[in-house]
Amino acid sequence: MSVKTYAVILLTGALSACQQTAEPIKASLGEGWQLVWHDEFEQNTIDPTKWQHEVNCRGGGNDEQQCYTARSENSFVESGLLHIVARKEQYTGPLHNADGVTRDAERALVATQPFTSARLRTKHLGDWRYGRFEVRAKLPVGQGAWPAIWMLPTDWHYGRWASSGEIDIMEAVNLNTQTDDKTAPAGSLETRVHGTLHYGGPAPENVYSGTPYRFSDADNPADNFHVYALEWQQDEIRWYVDNVHYATFRHDQWYSTSQQADGSFVENSGFAPFDQRFHLLLNFAVGGNWPANVNDKGVDMSGYPKQMLVDYVRVFQCSQNSETGKGCASVQPSAVHIKGKRQ
């Protein structure tokens, strides 16, 4: 046996031993959660078996100012982190995402925006009903910057948005600008992240409910990595930041109505719309109706490129009851109970 062959055998054995003794990935909070999907971004490219890029310049339906691209300039993996990069550059691309149109005339439509960025999703690659979703991320700073970690329905079972719902695990706007939070001390910077549900009927019959989590100025989410998590079970959805359970929304506070062919609305029964499978999205928007109308208003065009960094994305399901997602809840009494709305 050659020295080289012997060395390879020793190395292979050492790697096998490491693999056998490696600690399994556990949820950052709670017991009974089993890992079912994850991306640690340890490879040197974005994994196409886990993520798709959306490519469009439609502004997210919110008058946002970016084109989403699949270019490496706007999203890449490096040093164990996913980078989602917004760049200030005039760019022309398709108005609609390719799978969002059915007519050739719509596919031919283009639009031009002053920024580019990226929006990644797990649609048809990772789709879940109920579970715990954890993302460790560092967020971009500045007026007009709008990073988001969220979920959309895969099948739109109850109809168009928002009849089929939307789950926002974390959104933030205008971090490190002067806050307009009336409860914060004068002169404080914007440090809030938001957990929100969108539900009700098809727009404009939609409603939303949510609440913010406020960091201290010294721990701004644009300066440090934090773990943003959501637990979703059949009758309840809970939001967490760094293992702090800060908000709960119960099923008796949400609802879903579907529009019929004759224009009338029918209310869906059970736990609709949050009883169907959803997929994950990660994106960095620039501008839009929300950030442009709060804090310093508008969009600060300076400081680009800016980036959202993601360390990992992990999805767990409850071993106690995967059909309802119940039995693994991590509940803290200080959490706010969000009140629902009716259109």
Side-chain angles (χ1 to χ4, degrees), residues 284-316:
F284 177 2
V286 181
N289 297 331
W290 180 13
N293 288 290
V294 295
N295 301 106
D296 294 335
K297 308 291 182 66
V299 176
D300 182 353
M301 308 293 277
S302 65
Y304 286 86
K306 298 180 180 182
Q307 59 186 351
M308 172 182 178
L309 301 176
V310 182
D311 183 26
Y312 60 73
V313 180
R314 297 171 180 171
V315 180
F316 304 84

Side-chain angles (χ1 to χ4, degrees), residues 10-75:
L10 286 176
L11 178 60
T12 303
L15 287 172
S16 298
C18 288
Q19 290 167 351
Q20 291 172 2
T21 59
E23 285 291 324
I25 295 174
K26 296 183 179 180
S28 62
L29 188 68
E31 299 295 332
W33 295 109
Q34 293 184 332
L35 185 72
V36 296
W37 189 96
H38 69 114
D39 198 339
E40 308 297 313
F41 302 109
E42 293 174 343
Q43 69 287 352
N44 56 16
T45 59
I46 295 173
D47 188 343
T49 69
K50 295 181 178 180
W51 301 100
Q52 304 168 344
H53 283 88
E54 294 192 14
V55 177
N56 67 75
C57 297
R58 65 181 293 267
N62 301 297
D63 290 331
E64 298 159 18
Q65 297 183 26
Q66 78 286 323
C67 284
Y68 288 126
T69 85
R71 305 180 310 163
S72 59
E73 294 96 321
N74 294 119
S75 59

Side-chain angles (χ1 to χ4, degrees), residues 250-262:
R250 293 191 52 78
H251 73 96
D252 58 359
Q253 299 294 304
W254 72 62
Y255 73 100
S256 166
T257 60
S258 297
Q259 191 166 22
Q260 308 303 295
D262 63 2

